[in-house]
Amino acid sequence: MHIPDGFLDPWVLAGCFVLAAAAIGFSSWRLNGRLDDARVPLLGVVSAGIFAAQMLNWPIPGGTSAHFVGGAFAAILLGPYLGCLAMASVVVVQAFVFGDGGVLALGANLLNMAVVDVFVGYALFRALVGLGETIAAFVAGWGAITVSAAAVGLQAGLSSTFAYDLATTLTVMTAGHAVLGLVEGLITVLVVRYLLDVRPDLVLGLTGPNTGGDRPEEATV
Amino acid sequence: MSATWADAPTWLRRSLVALVVLVLLTPVFALAAGAVGYAEPLENVAEATGATEHERTLLSSPFPDYSVAGTGTVVGTLVSGLVGTAVTLLVAVGLGRLLDRDVDT
């Protein structure tokens, strides 16, 4: 899902930068001064875990592979604002240290993976959590990936390098990830279920769009 | 993060062990993905619509494509996994510290 440089038109890149900066800025503003000491190491290990998990490419017979992206997972575990910053840390390190995703395309990559993936995943999880955490986490993982892929398809389709073939880019990206997203949903469920069993107090997204104000041990299910 | 290993809460110690396990798995997955010919859907779309020829690298990165110059897949991926996971941890903790509530004042 990482967009390299050269793929998107300048105005698409600029628009993505503005939207990503607004969402990340808003998240930081909501968290500023409210982030308890206990939340900082949690933010660190979740971000690092998502980076490492993204390196695990699950081979799929037929010449493709899928890897966990983690936006919905970050949102369920950390809440939307901290989840957004966790994914932003991952995407920035990937771009500058590993050349995964272009530097000019950084705004687009942040928008798709740190904003759309996180906030869509969070909205789906909160909307469906009444039906049970398992269903909610699965749909959140699957739906967030699919919507993020549609966003990539839209950005690519609006750019002239893709010959204005919006229908093709949107269809292939969305359909492809609607299938790959099942893996994302499954991994999201497995990890969230495990954490709910052992340390439900660490699953911050369960308690509403918290801003990190309460200590983990005070958060209740 | 100045606390010692023994002072850290159990969940944090377990999380750090889990991170090490994930990193140790990266070369295995890199070999497997290489065996089936790794390609992401975005690359397939770019291929189909002719956007691939526009792809450029504007900034040379220290570990391009999660590899280390002069090493094979296993060592390159392992080093990339270690460095990337550690740097991400530091970046996120640094970000968190910036937003941290100032408890002492």
Side-chain angles (χ1 to χ4, degrees):
Chain A
M1 200 175 289
H2 285 88
I3 300 169
D5 279 330
F7 271 25
L8 301 182
D9 286 359
W11 68 271
V12 176
L13 291 175
C16 289
F17 257 111
V18 170
L19 290 173
I24 293 167
F26 179 74
S27 297
S28 305
W29 173 73
R30 285 298 301 262
L31 291 165
N32 194 22
R34 298 187 182 129
L35 193 62
D36 201 279
D37 264 345
R39 292 282 152 85
V40 177
L42 186 61
L43 172 66
V45 292
V46 170
S47 306
I50 288 171
F51 175 89
Q54 283 202 13
M55 283 190 69
L56 307 182
N57 288 295
W58 299 79
I60 295 169
T64 186
S65 72
H67 69 70
F68 182 64
V69 178
F73 171 69
I76 295 168
L77 210 60
L78 300 171
Y81 308 120
L82 212 48
C84 175
L85 296 188
M87 290 300 289
S89 308
V90 172
V91 172
V92 165
V93 170
Q94 287 170 332
F96 286 101
V97 184
F98 301 98
D100 196 3
V103 277
L104 288 181
L106 184 62
N109 286 318
L110 284 170
L111 181 64
N112 300 324
M113 286 181 281
V115 179
V116 175
D117 197 22
V118 171
F119 285 92
V120 169
Y122 184 74
L124 287 172
F125 181 75
R126 296 292 300 179
L128 298 172
V129 76
L131 301 173
E133 293 99 355
T134 303
I135 293 172
F138 180 81
V139 176
W142 171 79
I145 283 299
T146 307
V147 175
S148 303
V152 176
L154 187 67
Q155 291 149 14
L158 290 173
S159 296
S160 53
T161 43
F162 282 83
Y164 293 102
D165 202 350
L166 185 59
T168 305
T169 56
L170 250 182
T171 309
V172 179
M173 281 304 288
T174 310
H177 282 90
V179 178
L180 297 180
L182 298 173
V183 181
E184 180 88 11
L186 192 64
I187 299 175
T188 306
V189 167
L190 291 176
V191 189
V192 169
R193 275 255 61 104
Y194 171 74
L195 289 169
L196 283 172
D197 286 344
V198 295
R199 284 299 298 269
D201 56 313
L202 292 180
V203 185
L204 309 179
L206 208 58
T207 54
N210 67 67
T211 48
D214 17 278
R215 305 180 64 86
E217 52 268 30
E218 286 165 8
T220 50
V221 182
Chain B
M1 285 266 132
S2 56
T4 64
W5 181 255
D7 296 332
T10 311
W11 70 265
L12 185 56
R13 280 182 286 166
R14 287 192 180 154
S15 303
L16 293 171
V17 171
L19 284 182
V20 172
V21 172
L22 281 175
V23 169
L24 291 176
L25 284 172
T26 56
V28 181
F29 280 80
L31 289 173
V36 297
Y38 171 75
E40 291 205 13
L42 180 61
E43 294 169 27
N44 298 336
V45 182
E47 203 76 48
T49 58
T52 313
E53 57 202 74
H54 296 277
E55 184 171 342
R56 280 171 296 164
T57 305
L58 294 178
L59 182 82
S60 60
S61 46
F63 305 97
D65 286 326
Y66 305 92
S67 65
V68 177
T71 65
T73 305
V74 173
V75 174
T77 309
L78 192 60
V79 172
S80 296
L82 279 171
V83 171
T85 304
V87 172
T88 306
L89 184 69
L90 292 176
V91 167
V93 167
L95 201 56
R97 281 283 168 94
L98 283 177
L99 299 167
D100 204 342
R101 172 192 292 157
D102 201 351
V103 182
D104 300 325
T105 54

